[in-house]
Amino acid sequence: MNFPIRPEAASNFATEHDQLFFTITALTIFFTVVVLTLVVIFAARYRAGSKYSRANASNHNTKLEITWSVIPLLLGLGIFVWGAKIFVEQHTPPKEAMELFVIGKQWMWHVQHPNGVRENNTIHLPLGRPVRVTMISQDVIHALYIPEFRVQYHVVPGRYTTFWFTPTKVGKFHLFCNMYCGTQHAEMGGYVYVQEPEDFEKWLENDGTKVAERTPSLAELGKALYDRTQCGNCHGQVDNVRAPSLIGLYGRQRQFTNGMSGVADDSYLRDSILNPNSRVVKGYREIMPQNYKFTEEQILQLAAYIKSLGAAASPNPVTPSVDAPMPTPNTPAPSGDPTSHNLPGR
Amino acid sequence: MSAVDIRTEEAPRHAPQPSYLQNGHTIKSWLLTGDHKRIAILYLISTGFFFFLGSIAAGAIRWQLTSPRGELMTLEVYNKMFSAHGVIMVFMFLVPTIPAVLGNFLVPIMIGARDLAFPRLNLASWYMYMVGGVLILVAMAMGGVDTGWTFYTPYSSIYSSSQVSLTLVGAFIVGFSSIFTGLNFIVTIHKMRAPGMTWDRLPLYIWSHYATSIIIILATPVVAITLLCVVLERAFRIGIFSPELGGDPVLFQHLFWFYSHPAVYIMVLPGMGIISELMSAFSRKPVFGYKFIAGSSLAIAAIGFLVWGHHMFVSSQSMYQGLVFSLLSFVVAVPSAIKVFNWTATMWKGSVRLQTPMIYALCFMGLFVVGGLTGLYLSTLATDVHLTATYFVVAHFHYVMVGGTILAYLGGLHFWWPKMTGRMYPDSWGKLSAIIIFVGFNLTFFPQFILGFLGMPRRYATYALAPQFQFYHILSTAGATVLGIGFLIPLFYLSWSLKHGPKAGKNPWGAKGLEWTVDSPPITTNFYETPIVDRPVYDYDPEEEERQFQIELDAEREMREKLAATRGGQD
Ligand code: HEM
Ligand SMILES: [Cu+2]
Ligand SMILES: [Cu+2]
């Protein structure tokens, strides 16, 4: 088991933040140690029966009291100014910053790059370029939080909010929703991938993940089958009255009308397609067709497709390696195929 | 005869009267009492019950988090669990408990009055509390609420399909019980002080209740209306907070924190008052800097109203609002610092007795200092942008609310227990419980500071995206187990003491203050005669106390020797 004590510092704000953070920590330790040492010393030294003199114990000393009010105040003001300086900087994005648009909705992040490339629950970014993120929510308040960058900001319905940062490290970082937003709040997240600028450009040009000549992946075959059988008549972008959305289903906790619950793993997917009424998702009726006749291979394809719609939180999602951003078949590809995310909803 | 007994007649001089506990044994005599002490006992039992419920929810939360995918509950159940925990602990325990239990019992006695100014209002406050509490419990039985104790809109007003409205109505009603208590205290402290109990002779405990009551009266109506607005939006789709209906979702946060920041001081000021009493009584020395401590309570009450926006630095409020709220938060931290320094100086050249209540007070010092100082990380704009809504915040407010308020409450309960019940509890068990709580608490909540710094968001039922957090969660759960045991121990020995504890006498601790001049437990009217106060508050002289201590020590040694001698003779 590992126990890190400091998150990676991967943005321009991270180092500034940490300097301030550790300065406050030093002050905190200093004052805690001073006060508690005095408390312990006084408790021991002036314990009833000890030899020390109690003569001339004073009950107040205005000068002393003013001193110990003013010193913390001044130290506090110093910290305030330091924190404020960074905060103002955080509210002043540089003009040359590249744009990114994020839509938050229960319970996924929908990210759009200016050239039209889209991704869900992942954000790909180039190293060293300031990024200005413009955000809005479709429903409740969310918060976009990247701890390794030391930044977060609320994503509010009905108004745009923005923040900015410059990634300073290549790698994979956490993307969290940090404002409680309902049932699957804990699963509303993914990863931020910072790539070398060339790799990022390649990724963008390939429309995210589509690479020119290659045989269709399982997931793509699955999508074709899904469209042909018109699963999308019921399953849409979001949960609707007819059927739950399949986006982000894989790996998630499900609750059933019979009071049981379980995790949506491979066998659950197979079961749900072949035998929908064996476990009916809570809140829905038994309307999914019972008579699909799929081969095992087709089931695998459908499952791969459903998985490619984004997985629930998973400790070891397959990372698209930075130089080969092609999804391997049959695994949840965090970068996904952006076009295939647009389920024909109703 | 009216059901509520308002004592207006003069008690006959010195004819012994039954204690408040003996004065009527029927259930009715308790449920219709106007006696502030009996109402305090009613509150003691009911807030204790809610604390127990809240703790069970906490245990479930900690158990769930021992593994990244969640050990125990589905997402939905977990969300309801932390909401139940927060709602119960804040509205049903932390806000009411010290004022309604220890404040109710002590405010009149400490200022030399026979009761609070409005006994019927006092009883009504308990009924309001119970009605609100029952509604909240009914809401939980009907499926519970899943919004957290903060009820942020538009999730709470439009999207959540849980029992939000019923819970809010419950919290609304409980709010009135606070308002009644606050009103009662203010009037009582102004109008019912005994002759000679001038403002500068008021115990600091009374000062802190006075400041708290002002906050309660000014702030609670705001949150009451706000919660009602959420109910209106839910029920009638009146657009107040939801942008779909033309409302403003962030408005809710302003209104909510306009109450809830002052509310953190409603929770902690009475605890600070207790610590002032304990530090003085067990150092046998007047509180150092009485005026600064009393003044700092009022300063906190005043400035505390101007810092709510520090909960909203990343909420989309303007940058300039952020700057102002941050600055003021540093100012409001100063009065708390003053108190800590003054308490420490109180021990200097005192005659310190390390009995159970004092051990609790010392543990409070340890935890409150950390809690207060970590508030600075959150008042600092740049660090809050990283830490807000993470486990760092969770750790911070548990250090101040559990480490501060609850330890102070337990310290006060152990201090005044002999007065309330007439019985002593075993001191060594008391100390043991304090130390187990201290250790368990730190083990539970210190790792959460690190978790927060690492970026663990609060209110997560699972953290499969970041399994590296697990180590700290396991530590925290282990600590919570120790903490739970620590809280259970006093339950046992305090109950035991009710029947078997040695009789306490009027003043078992040798403390000053009017409450130690009356019977333990006090008679219904507290005093046989209206006391006349002719000396300053905290009238201790450590030198004299030391001499007294030596004499007692010698007497004790003599007794022991005599005893040994007679025993030796028998052998
Ligand atoms: C001593 C000076 C204190 C300062 C400067 C301070 C500062 C802060 C700040 C800035 C926050 C907001 C953190 C965030 O959401 O990002 C916060 C949260 C909180 N503080 Fe304090 N605090 C102090 C003392 C206290 C005390 C004495 C209490 C209660 C007894 C308290 C209880 C809370 C609570 C309950 C929250 C979190 C509320 C929530 O989000 O659920 N604080 N504090
Ligand atoms: Cu969320
Ligand atoms: Cu606050």
Side-chain angles (χ1 to χ4, degrees):
Chain A
M1 199 169 283
N2 61 346
F3 37 96
I5 55 165
R6 185 179 166 192
E8 263 185 271
S11 86
N12 59 323
F13 293 123
T15 335
E16 284 184 72
H17 168 280
D18 286 5
Q19 284 164 353
L20 179 52
F21 183 93
F22 288 121
T23 306
I24 306 177
T25 304
L27 284 176
T28 301
I29 293 175
F30 174 76
F31 278 104
T32 309
V33 168
V34 167
V35 170
L36 297 190
T37 311
L38 286 178
V39 165
V40 170
I41 289 180
F42 289 167
R45 189 179 162 113
Y46 296 113
R47 178 128 188 228
S50 73
K51 302 177 295 295
Y52 296 96
S53 157
R54 267 67 165 189
N56 307 322
S58 67
N59 303 327
H60 68 97
N61 179 334
T62 311
K63 261 192 210 143
L64 186 64
E65 289 174 74
I66 290 181
T67 314
W68 71 42
S69 313
V70 170
I71 291 181
L73 182 63
L74 292 181
L75 286 173
L77 292 184
I79 297 293
F80 161 74
V81 171
W82 188 350
K85 233 184 96 224
I86 303 176
F87 189 68
V88 171
E89 199 185 329
Q90 285 172 332
H91 278 78
T92 334
K95 288 210 178 54
E96 75 277 13
M98 70 175 252
E99 294 267 22
L100 193 69
F101 303 94
V102 173
I103 297 168
K105 55 185 171 192
Q106 285 175 328
W107 290 276
M108 66 181 287
W109 295 108
H110 186 62
V111 179
Q112 302 200 352
H113 293 266
N115 73 343
V117 170
R118 290 182 265 176
E119 45 186 335
N120 287 335
N121 292 331
T122 58
I123 304 181
H124 284 76
L125 295 170
L127 180 70
R129 266 188 71 188
V131 185
R132 177 167 179 269
V133 189
T134 303
M135 307 175 288
I136 193 161
S137 164
Q138 269 187 13
D139 36 51
V140 303
I141 300 177
H142 306 275
L144 186 72
Y145 179 34
I146 308 168
E148 287 86 353
F149 291 0
R150 313 285 190 273
V151 288
Q152 66 180 310
Y153 214 81
H154 283 188
V155 181
V156 184
R159 70 174 66 160
Y160 288 110
T161 56
T162 63
F163 70 138
W164 78 279
F165 49 78
T166 308
T168 56
K169 225 184 209 176
V170 169
K172 172 183 157 195
F173 308 110
H174 291 97
L175 168 66
F176 290 129
C177 174
N178 200 22
M179 169 51 68
Y180 177 70
C181 58
T183 311
Q184 292 171 24
H185 167 59
E187 293 176 345
M188 183 170 164
Y191 297 96
V192 173
Y193 299 95
V194 177
Q195 301 172 314
E196 293 290 352
E198 313 79 82
D199 296 329
F200 177 73
E201 287 308 325
K202 226 185 281 166
W203 180 86
L204 266 190
E205 271 163 31
N206 292 329
D207 204 6
T209 45
K210 253 189 263 151
V211 175
E213 302 94 20
R214 63 185 162 92
T215 49
S217 68
L218 265 189
E220 280 162 344
L221 291 171
K223 172 168 168 39
L225 183 55
Y226 183 97
D227 290 343
R228 236 181 304 129
T229 13
Q230 293 181 322
C231 311
N233 282 351
C234 300
H235 296 285
Q237 284 278 2
V238 292
D239 294 351
N240 57 34
V241 285
R242 310 196 80 187
S245 165
L246 303 180
I247 295 178
L249 170 65
Y250 186 61
R252 198 163 269 175
Q253 278 272 351
R254 307 307 291 156
Q255 283 201 308
F256 307 115
T257 45
N258 62 4
M260 312 275 280
S261 64
V263 172
D265 51 14
D266 294 70
S267 60
Y268 171 77
L269 292 185
R270 182 174 185 277
D271 215 35
S272 308
I273 297 168
L274 290 181
N275 234 334
N277 290 355
S278 67
R279 283 180 286 180
V280 178
V281 180
K282 203 170 150 192
Y284 296 95
R285 281 169 305 131
E286 304 180 355
I287 56 165
M288 177 154 161
Q290 294 281 319
N291 48 1
Y292 287 125
K293 300 267 182 298
F294 293 122
T295 63
E296 289 297 335
E297 205 181 342
Q298 283 173 318
I299 301 265
L300 278 179
Q301 291 168 357
L302 280 173
Y305 171 60
I306 292 173
K307 286 191 248 172
S308 78
L309 296 175
S314 142
N316 293 310
V318 173
T319 318
S321 91
V322 173
D323 33 30
M326 202 180 87
T328 35
N330 206 10
T331 45
S335 50
D337 179 344
T339 50
S340 69
H341 286 172
N342 295 321
L343 281 174
R346 284 171 64 98
Chain B
M1 207 192 86
S2 94
V4 177
D5 152 41
I6 323 167
R7 288 153 302 280
T8 46
E9 282 157 304
E10 268 293 317
R13 287 202 164 221
H14 298 295
Q17 292 176 19
S19 82
Y20 80 99
L21 292 171
Q22 300 300 323
N23 193 5
H25 292 278
T26 57
I27 297 214
K28 191 175 153 202
S29 75
W30 280 90
L31 292 185
L32 295 180
T33 183
D35 183 347
H36 65 104
K37 301 181 288 301
R38 286 196 162 202
I39 296 172
I41 300 296
L42 292 177
Y43 261 122
L44 174 70
I45 296 166
S46 34
T47 53
F49 168 73
F50 279 104
F51 179 64
F52 183 71
L53 286 189
S55 306
I56 290 182
I61 291 170
R62 287 302 342 151
W63 185 0
Q64 165 90 350
L65 293 175
T66 49
S67 107
R69 285 194 168 279
E71 272 295 310
L72 190 60
M73 298 168 265
T74 59
L75 300 174
E76 191 188 340
V77 174
Y78 178 87
N79 295 342
K80 290 182 171 169
M81 203 55 89
F82 78 68
S83 303
H85 170 70
V87 168
I88 290 179
M89 286 302 198
V90 171
F91 297 113
M92 303 308 294
F93 183 72
L94 286 163
V95 167
T97 188
I98 297 185
V101 179
L102 296 176
N104 247 335
F105 198 97
L106 290 158
V107 167
I109 308 185
M110 285 171 108
I111 65 172
R114 286 153 185 269
D115 204 321
L116 287 171
F118 309 118
R120 287 195 186 93
L121 189 68
N122 197 15
L123 185 62
S125 115
W126 182 71
Y127 278 100
M128 288 300 232
Y129 172 85
M130 291 307 284
V131 170
V134 166
L135 284 185
I136 289 176
L137 290 184
V138 169
M140 281 168 194
M142 290 170 58
V145 66
D146 73 344
T147 59
W149 76 280
T150 46
F151 300 106
Y152 270 25
T153 55
Y155 183 67
S156 65
S157 62
I158 301 283
Y159 286 84
S160 173
S161 55
S162 59
Q163 294 294 337
V164 182
S165 296
L166 199 53
T167 310
L168 288 178
V169 171
F172 178 84
I173 294 175
V174 173
F176 279 92
S177 82
S178 290
I179 296 176
F180 290 176
T181 304
L183 203 70
N184 229 334
F185 282 3
I186 291 186
V187 176
T188 307
I189 294 170
H190 268 280
K191 304 304 282 185
M192 296 179 62
R193 284 170 287 130
M197 180 55 86
T198 52
W199 285 95
D200 59 354
R201 285 180 183 163
L202 278 186
L204 288 167
Y205 183 65
I206 302 294
W207 271 108
S208 72
H209 271 308
Y210 185 72
T212 308
S213 302
I214 292 178
I215 308 179
I216 288 178
I217 289 190
L218 293 180
T220 315
V222 177
V223 80
I225 297 291
T226 310
L227 299 185
L228 217 54
C229 286
V230 175
V231 176
L232 290 180
E233 186 165 292
R234 270 186 87 81
F236 306 110
R237 297 182 69 82
I238 299 175
I240 305 170
F241 303 121
S242 169
E244 291 161 41
L245 307 174
D248 180 344
V250 183
L251 174 64
F252 174 85
Q253 295 169 37
H254 283 289
L255 295 172
F256 180 82
W257 289 115
F258 182 81
Y259 163 80
S260 289
H261 181 79
V264 307
Y265 290 110
I266 294 176
M267 298 178 222
V268 84
L269 273 174
M272 292 169 152
I274 292 174
I275 297 302
S276 296
E277 298 300 312
L278 296 182
M279 279 294 173
S280 164
F282 290 90
S283 303
R284 297 292 195 272
K285 214 181 133 224
V287 174
F288 192 90
Y290 174 93
K291 290 212 167 106
F292 267 70
I293 294 199
S296 66
S297 290
L298 296 178
I300 286 176
I303 310 169
F305 273 104
L306 305 174
V307 301
W308 78 89
H310 66 206
H311 297 268
M312 303 171 58
F313 289 148
V314 299
S315 69
S316 80
Q317 78 182 356
S318 98
M319 180 185 82
Y320 299 99
Q321 279 174 301
L323 293 172
V324 173
F325 284 123
S326 169
L327 180 64
L328 288 170
S329 303
F330 280 97
V331 176
V332 81
V334 172
S336 300
I338 292 177
K339 283 181 197 265
V340 168
F341 294 137
N342 280 349
W343 290 325
T344 310
T346 303
M347 297 168 72
W348 172 70
K349 290 204 171 185
S351 168
V352 177
R353 319 289 159 100
L354 295 179
Q355 284 153 308
T356 302
M358 185 62 164
I359 302 295
Y360 270 105
L362 296 180
C363 291
F364 167 99
M365 292 285 279
L367 302 181
F368 185 75
V369 166
V370 175
L373 284 165
T374 50
L376 300 185
Y377 293 80
L378 303 174
S379 317
T380 306
L381 290 157
T383 39
D384 187 66
V385 167
H386 172 48
L387 298 170
T388 186
T390 66
Y391 265 74
F392 195 96
V393 173
V394 177
H396 158 70
F397 68 70
H398 282 88
Y399 264 82
V400 277
M401 304 209 304
V402 180
T405 306
I406 296 187
L407 283 209
Y409 175 60
L410 288 174
L413 202 59
H414 282 85
F415 185 42
W416 286 298
W417 185 259
K419 182 57 59 188
M420 298 169 81
T421 65
R423 303 284 185 156
M424 295 300 284
Y425 50 85
D427 195 46
S428 47
W429 279 96
K431 288 178 184 167
L432 182 73
S433 71
I435 288 165
I436 292 180
I437 289 175
F438 184 79
V439 171
F441 179 88
N442 279 301
L443 190 56
T444 310
F445 291 106
F446 195 83
Q448 298 187 1
F449 282 126
I450 303 174
L451 272 177
F453 180 46
L454 291 176
M456 168 82 199
R458 72 193 278 203
R459 299 181 170 174
Y460 264 28
T462 57
Y463 46 100
L465 282 170
Q468 73 269 26
F469 295 149
Q470 187 177 16
F471 174 72
Y472 295 107
H473 277 301
I474 288 179
L475 272 190
S476 187
T477 303
T481 315
V482 179
L483 186 59
I485 294 170
F487 281 135
L488 280 177
I489 296 175
L491 185 67
F492 289 115
Y493 65 75
L494 289 180
S495 318
W496 173 89
S497 78
L498 287 177
K499 263 212 141 78
H500 309 284
K503 288 241 166 26
K506 280 189 178 177
N507 190 358
W509 310 112
K512 309 272 167 161
L514 283 180
E515 79 270 31
W516 302 110
T517 64
V518 303
D519 291 349
S520 302
I523 58 171
T524 301
T525 54
N526 300 338
F527 301 93
Y528 285 98
E529 276 172 56
T530 305
I532 294 173
V533 182
D534 55 1
R535 48 187 66 221
V537 63
Y538 308 124
D539 188 22
Y540 296 101
D541 175 0
E543 276 187 290
E544 179 54 35
E545 294 282 350
E546 277 295 307
R547 266 196 291 282
Q548 207 57 44
F549 183 77
Q550 283 304 339
I551 293 170
E552 277 164 32
L553 218 58
D554 292 344
E556 211 176 287
R557 186 166 348 100
E558 233 166 77
M559 273 290 279
R560 255 206 311 273
E561 274 161 17
K562 243 188 240 157
L563 217 65
T566 44
R567 251 201 231 118
Q570 279 168 357
D571 281 349

